[in-house]
Amino acid sequence: SQQGEEDPQALSIQEGENATMNCSYKTSINNLQWYRQNSGRGLVHLILIRSNEREKHSGRLRVTLDTSKKSSSLLITASRAADTASYFCATDDYKLSFGAGTTVTVRA
Amino acid sequence: NAGVTQTPKFQVLKTGQSMTLQCAQDMNHEYMSWYRQDPGMGLRLIHYSVGAGITDQGEVPNGYNVSRSTTEDFPLRLLSAAPSQTSVYFCASSRTSNQPQHFGDGTRLSIL
């Protein structure tokens, strides 16, 4: 069974707007990772946040982690057309488990 | 630096045929894994390996075999293909299981 679940399943925004997606998981984790997948390609790692961290930034990406609620969020600020992709969270207990993903469409 | 290379990119098989999906990495990563991706299901772990000579089952191992004779290669074998194995298969590698994964571009497999 899948550990992480992303919400919403799909998101459509205008270029320049922010995009927020959430990930909920079921059991204790060592870390949580976010990946991006462009259509027809493999997944690309975006950011890793450890269980003792609450927030992490990378460029226009901001990730939060709330271990008490077993949830994480990914915020993409000032979105661009190139951000159109599917985004997955992955949780690590002793192996990575991926959610079903959030499909983000950025309209020009 | 090629990263993770998967071959073939596309394959069509008939039910009952066998084949091997190839995966090679040139980053000297110990951890390698195979996933299948189906619409609405995300990625599901098939098999993984923590080093040469060591493999273990993931979430959906039935119908698949793996071996890891070298650090670089981690082939996935379909013993007798079934239509339910129609999917996109991804190989990934990393230094350890809890480090960022490097993915190949996938093999799109159709079983008729």
Side-chain angles (χ1 to χ4, degrees):
Chain A
S1 61
Q2 290 172 272
Q3 163 80 297
E5 292 186 9
E6 292 89 346
D7 173 64
Q9 290 186 344
L11 185 59
S12 181
I13 56 174
Q14 202 75 27
E15 206 165 23
E17 292 180 339
N18 295 343
T20 300
M21 61 210 84
N22 303 296
C23 170
S24 59
Y25 58 92
K26 299 171 186 173
T27 63
S28 297
I29 58 171
N30 296 316
N31 63 54
L32 186 142
Q33 303 178 36
W34 285 92
Y35 289 80
R36 183 187 74 233
Q37 184 181 33
N38 292 95
S39 180
R41 303 300 302 273
L43 278 71
V44 173
H45 179 262
L46 295 176
I47 199 163
L48 181 154
I49 185 165
R50 302 191 190 284
S51 59
N52 61 354
E53 297 176 311
R54 292 296 168 259
E55 188 170 311
K56 205 161 183 180
H57 296 255
S58 177
R60 293 183 297 112
L61 304 180
R62 172 178 170 252
V63 168
T64 63
L65 179 64
D66 187 335
T67 53
S68 67
K69 295 182 179 178
K70 293 187 170 57
S71 68
S72 174
S73 67
L74 171 66
L75 168 67
I76 305 172
T77 60
S79 62
R80 305 166 181 169
D83 295 327
T84 294
S86 293
Y87 293 82
F88 296 87
C89 68
T91 54
D92 167 52
D93 35 21
Y94 65 96
K95 60 185 186 302
L96 273 186
S97 298
F98 287 83
T102 294
T103 299
V104 175
T105 303
V106 180
R107 305 186 307 273
Chain B
N1 191 343
V4 178
T5 302
Q6 291 186 238
T7 56
K9 294 190 185 305
F10 302 94
Q11 184 70 48
V12 178
L13 293 177
K14 295 180 179 178
T15 297
Q17 286 185 315
S18 62
M19 80 160 293
T20 299
L21 309 186
Q22 301 291 345
C23 175
Q25 52 90 11
D26 60 0
M27 297 171 281
N28 202 33
H29 285 166
E30 292 294 330
Y31 185 81
M32 296 186 74
S33 54
W34 277 101
Y35 296 88
R36 59 177 289 173
Q37 185 176 32
D38 302 295
M41 298 287 292
L43 278 78
R44 291 183 291 170
L45 182 65
I46 305 172
H47 286 284
Y48 64 98
S49 168
V50 297
I54 307 169
T55 64
D56 206 347
Q57 296 181 349
E59 184 184 352
V60 288
N62 292 340
Y64 307 95
N65 273 359
V66 291
S67 59
R68 184 95 181 269
S69 55
T70 67
T71 299
E72 293 78 19
D73 300 299
F74 190 43
L76 178 72
R77 297 184 188 85
L78 279 71
L79 308 174
S80 177
S84 61
Q85 294 178 302
T86 293
S87 188
V88 182
Y89 291 85
F90 288 99
C91 178
S93 76
S94 61
R95 285 169 47 204
T96 62
S97 65
N98 61 0
Q99 292 297 305
Q101 303 283 303
H102 297 255
F103 281 82
D105 278 338
T107 294
R108 284 142 189 85
L109 184 62
S110 293
I111 315 295
L112 304 178

